[in-house]
Short mmCIF file of all heavy atoms in Angstrom, two decimals:
data_model
loop_
_atom_site.label_atom_id
_atom_site.label_comp_id
_atom_site.label_asym_id
_atom_site.label_seq_id
_atom_site.Cartn_x
_atom_site.Cartn_y
_atom_site.Cartn_z
N VAL A 1 7.20 36.57 0.75
CA VAL A 1 8.40 37.10 1.41
C VAL A 1 9.65 36.43 0.86
O VAL A 1 10.67 37.08 0.62
CB VAL A 1 8.30 36.90 2.94
CG1 VAL A 1 9.60 37.31 3.62
CG2 VAL A 1 7.14 37.72 3.50
N MET A 2 9.59 35.13 0.65
CA MET A 2 10.75 34.42 0.10
C MET A 2 11.08 34.94 -1.29
O MET A 2 12.26 35.06 -1.66
CB MET A 2 10.49 32.92 0.07
CG MET A 2 10.29 32.29 1.46
SD MET A 2 11.66 32.61 2.60
CE MET A 2 12.98 31.67 1.82
N ALA A 3 10.04 35.25 -2.08
CA ALA A 3 10.29 35.81 -3.41
C ALA A 3 10.94 37.18 -3.31
O ALA A 3 11.82 37.54 -4.10
CB ALA A 3 8.97 35.91 -4.18
N ALA A 4 10.51 37.98 -2.30
CA ALA A 4 11.11 39.30 -2.10
C ALA A 4 12.57 39.18 -1.66
O ALA A 4 13.41 40.00 -2.04
CB ALA A 4 10.30 40.08 -1.07
N ILE A 5 12.88 38.15 -0.86
CA ILE A 5 14.27 37.92 -0.47
C ILE A 5 15.10 37.54 -1.69
O ILE A 5 16.21 38.05 -1.90
CB ILE A 5 14.33 36.83 0.61
CG1 ILE A 5 13.70 37.32 1.91
CG2 ILE A 5 15.78 36.39 0.85
CD1 ILE A 5 13.52 36.25 2.96
N GLU A 6 14.55 36.65 -2.50
CA GLU A 6 15.26 36.22 -3.71
C GLU A 6 15.48 37.38 -4.67
O GLU A 6 16.50 37.46 -5.35
CB GLU A 6 14.49 35.10 -4.39
CG GLU A 6 15.21 34.49 -5.57
CD GLU A 6 14.46 33.31 -6.18
OE1 GLU A 6 13.49 32.83 -5.54
OE2 GLU A 6 14.82 32.88 -7.28
N ALA A 7 14.49 38.32 -4.71
CA ALA A 7 14.60 39.47 -5.62
C ALA A 7 15.48 40.57 -5.07
O ALA A 7 15.73 41.57 -5.75
CB ALA A 7 13.20 40.02 -5.89
N GLY A 8 15.96 40.40 -3.82
CA GLY A 8 16.83 41.42 -3.24
C GLY A 8 16.08 42.58 -2.61
O GLY A 8 16.71 43.57 -2.21
N GLU A 9 14.76 42.46 -2.49
CA GLU A 9 13.97 43.53 -1.86
C GLU A 9 14.05 43.45 -0.34
O GLU A 9 13.91 44.46 0.35
CB GLU A 9 12.51 43.43 -2.31
CG GLU A 9 12.33 43.59 -3.81
CD GLU A 9 10.94 43.19 -4.27
OE1 GLU A 9 10.12 42.77 -3.44
OE2 GLU A 9 10.68 43.28 -5.48
N LEU A 10 14.25 42.24 0.18
CA LEU A 10 14.45 42.00 1.60
C LEU A 10 15.79 41.31 1.80
O LEU A 10 16.27 40.59 0.92
CB LEU A 10 13.32 41.14 2.18
CG LEU A 10 11.91 41.74 2.16
CD1 LEU A 10 10.90 40.70 2.62
CD2 LEU A 10 11.83 42.97 3.05
N VAL A 11 16.39 41.52 2.98
CA VAL A 11 17.70 40.95 3.29
C VAL A 11 17.58 40.14 4.57
O VAL A 11 16.91 40.54 5.53
CB VAL A 11 18.75 42.06 3.47
CG1 VAL A 11 20.08 41.48 3.91
CG2 VAL A 11 18.92 42.83 2.17
N VAL A 12 18.23 38.97 4.62
CA VAL A 12 18.28 38.14 5.82
C VAL A 12 19.63 38.32 6.50
O VAL A 12 20.68 38.03 5.91
CB VAL A 12 18.06 36.66 5.47
CG1 VAL A 12 18.14 35.79 6.72
CG2 VAL A 12 16.71 36.46 4.78
N ASP A 13 19.59 38.82 7.74
CA ASP A 13 20.81 39.02 8.52
C ASP A 13 20.97 37.92 9.57
O ASP A 13 21.00 38.17 10.78
CB ASP A 13 20.78 40.39 9.21
CG ASP A 13 20.89 41.54 8.22
OD1 ASP A 13 21.53 41.35 7.17
OD2 ASP A 13 20.34 42.63 8.49
N GLY A 14 20.99 36.68 9.14
CA GLY A 14 21.17 35.57 10.07
C GLY A 14 19.88 35.19 10.78
O GLY A 14 18.78 35.41 10.28
N ARG A 15 20.04 34.63 12.00
CA ARG A 15 18.89 34.18 12.78
C ARG A 15 18.96 34.74 14.19
O ARG A 15 20.05 35.04 14.71
CB ARG A 15 18.84 32.66 12.84
CG ARG A 15 18.73 31.99 11.47
CD ARG A 15 18.11 30.63 11.59
NE ARG A 15 18.06 29.93 10.32
CZ ARG A 15 17.47 28.76 10.15
NH1 ARG A 15 16.87 28.16 11.19
NH2 ARG A 15 17.48 28.17 8.98
N ASP A 16 17.77 34.85 14.81
CA ASP A 16 17.75 35.34 16.18
C ASP A 16 17.99 34.18 17.14
O ASP A 16 18.21 33.04 16.74
CB ASP A 16 16.43 36.06 16.49
CG ASP A 16 15.21 35.15 16.41
OD1 ASP A 16 15.37 33.91 16.46
OD2 ASP A 16 14.08 35.68 16.30
N GLU A 17 17.95 34.48 18.45
CA GLU A 17 18.30 33.48 19.45
C GLU A 17 17.32 32.31 19.51
O GLU A 17 17.62 31.25 20.07
CB GLU A 17 18.37 34.14 20.84
CG GLU A 17 17.05 34.61 21.43
CD GLU A 17 16.58 35.94 20.87
OE1 GLU A 17 17.28 36.49 19.98
OE2 GLU A 17 15.52 36.43 21.30
N LYS A 18 16.15 32.47 18.88
CA LYS A 18 15.17 31.39 18.87
C LYS A 18 15.07 30.69 17.51
O LYS A 18 14.17 29.88 17.28
CB LYS A 18 13.81 31.92 19.30
CG LYS A 18 13.81 32.44 20.74
CD LYS A 18 12.46 32.97 21.17
CE LYS A 18 12.51 33.47 22.61
NZ LYS A 18 11.21 34.02 23.07
N GLY A 19 15.99 31.04 16.62
CA GLY A 19 16.09 30.32 15.36
C GLY A 19 15.37 30.94 14.18
O GLY A 19 15.44 30.41 13.06
N ALA A 20 14.67 32.05 14.39
CA ALA A 20 13.94 32.68 13.30
C ALA A 20 14.85 33.59 12.48
O ALA A 20 15.80 34.20 13.02
CB ALA A 20 12.76 33.48 13.84
N MET A 21 14.58 33.69 11.18
CA MET A 21 15.35 34.58 10.32
C MET A 21 15.19 36.03 10.77
O MET A 21 14.11 36.45 11.21
CB MET A 21 14.89 34.45 8.86
CG MET A 21 15.21 33.12 8.23
SD MET A 21 14.90 33.09 6.43
CE MET A 21 13.13 33.29 6.38
N ILE A 22 16.29 36.79 10.69
CA ILE A 22 16.24 38.23 10.95
C ILE A 22 16.12 38.91 9.59
O ILE A 22 17.04 38.85 8.77
CB ILE A 22 17.51 38.70 11.68
CG1 ILE A 22 17.64 37.96 13.03
CG2 ILE A 22 17.47 40.21 11.89
CD1 ILE A 22 18.96 38.23 13.73
N ILE A 23 14.98 39.54 9.34
CA ILE A 23 14.67 40.07 8.00
C ILE A 23 14.49 41.58 8.08
O ILE A 23 13.85 42.10 9.01
CB ILE A 23 13.39 39.42 7.45
CG1 ILE A 23 13.53 37.89 7.42
CG2 ILE A 23 13.08 39.94 6.05
CD1 ILE A 23 12.26 37.16 7.03
N ARG A 24 15.05 42.27 7.12
CA ARG A 24 14.88 43.72 7.02
C ARG A 24 14.76 44.13 5.56
O ARG A 24 15.05 43.34 4.65
CB ARG A 24 16.06 44.46 7.66
CG ARG A 24 17.39 44.18 6.98
CD ARG A 24 18.52 45.02 7.55
NE ARG A 24 19.80 44.65 7.00
CZ ARG A 24 20.28 45.10 5.83
NH1 ARG A 24 19.55 45.95 5.10
NH2 ARG A 24 21.47 44.72 5.40
N ASN A 25 14.32 45.36 5.34
CA ASN A 25 14.25 45.90 3.97
C ASN A 25 15.65 46.12 3.43
O ASN A 25 16.55 46.57 4.17
CB ASN A 25 13.50 47.23 3.96
CG ASN A 25 12.03 47.08 4.29
OD1 ASN A 25 11.36 46.20 3.76
ND2 ASN A 25 11.51 47.93 5.16
N ALA A 26 15.85 45.81 2.17
CA ALA A 26 17.12 46.12 1.52
C ALA A 26 17.27 47.62 1.40
O ALA A 26 16.28 48.36 1.22
CB ALA A 26 17.19 45.46 0.15
N GLU A 27 18.48 48.08 1.51
CA GLU A 27 18.74 49.52 1.46
C GLU A 27 18.28 50.11 0.13
O GLU A 27 18.64 49.64 -0.94
CB GLU A 27 20.25 49.77 1.64
CG GLU A 27 20.60 51.22 1.92
CD GLU A 27 20.14 51.68 3.30
OE1 GLU A 27 20.08 50.83 4.22
OE2 GLU A 27 19.83 52.88 3.43
N GLY A 28 17.44 51.14 0.21
CA GLY A 28 16.98 51.83 -0.99
C GLY A 28 15.97 51.07 -1.81
O GLY A 28 15.66 51.46 -2.94
N ARG A 29 15.43 49.96 -1.28
CA ARG A 29 14.47 49.16 -2.03
C ARG A 29 13.11 49.17 -1.34
O ARG A 29 13.01 49.34 -0.13
CB ARG A 29 14.95 47.70 -2.16
CG ARG A 29 16.27 47.52 -2.88
CD ARG A 29 16.12 47.69 -4.38
NE ARG A 29 15.23 46.71 -4.96
CZ ARG A 29 15.61 45.50 -5.38
NH1 ARG A 29 16.88 45.13 -5.24
NH2 ARG A 29 14.74 44.66 -5.93
#
């Protein structure tokens, strides 16, 4: 997953209220 984030396939939109990363698919990827 970290490799996918680095490759731009996934995007991190900050953290949730319990400290976990908020992760979603990159647009069009």
Side-chain angles (χ1 to χ4, degrees):
V1 174
M2 297 305 293
I5 292 171
E6 186 176 348
E9 299 167 359
L10 296 173
V11 175
V12 178
D13 291 330
R15 300 204 184 185
D16 64 18
E17 69 280 2
K18 297 180 180 179
M21 292 189 294
I22 300 172
I23 304 174
R24 63 175 174 83
N25 292 314
E27 193 69 30
R29 299 285 298 273

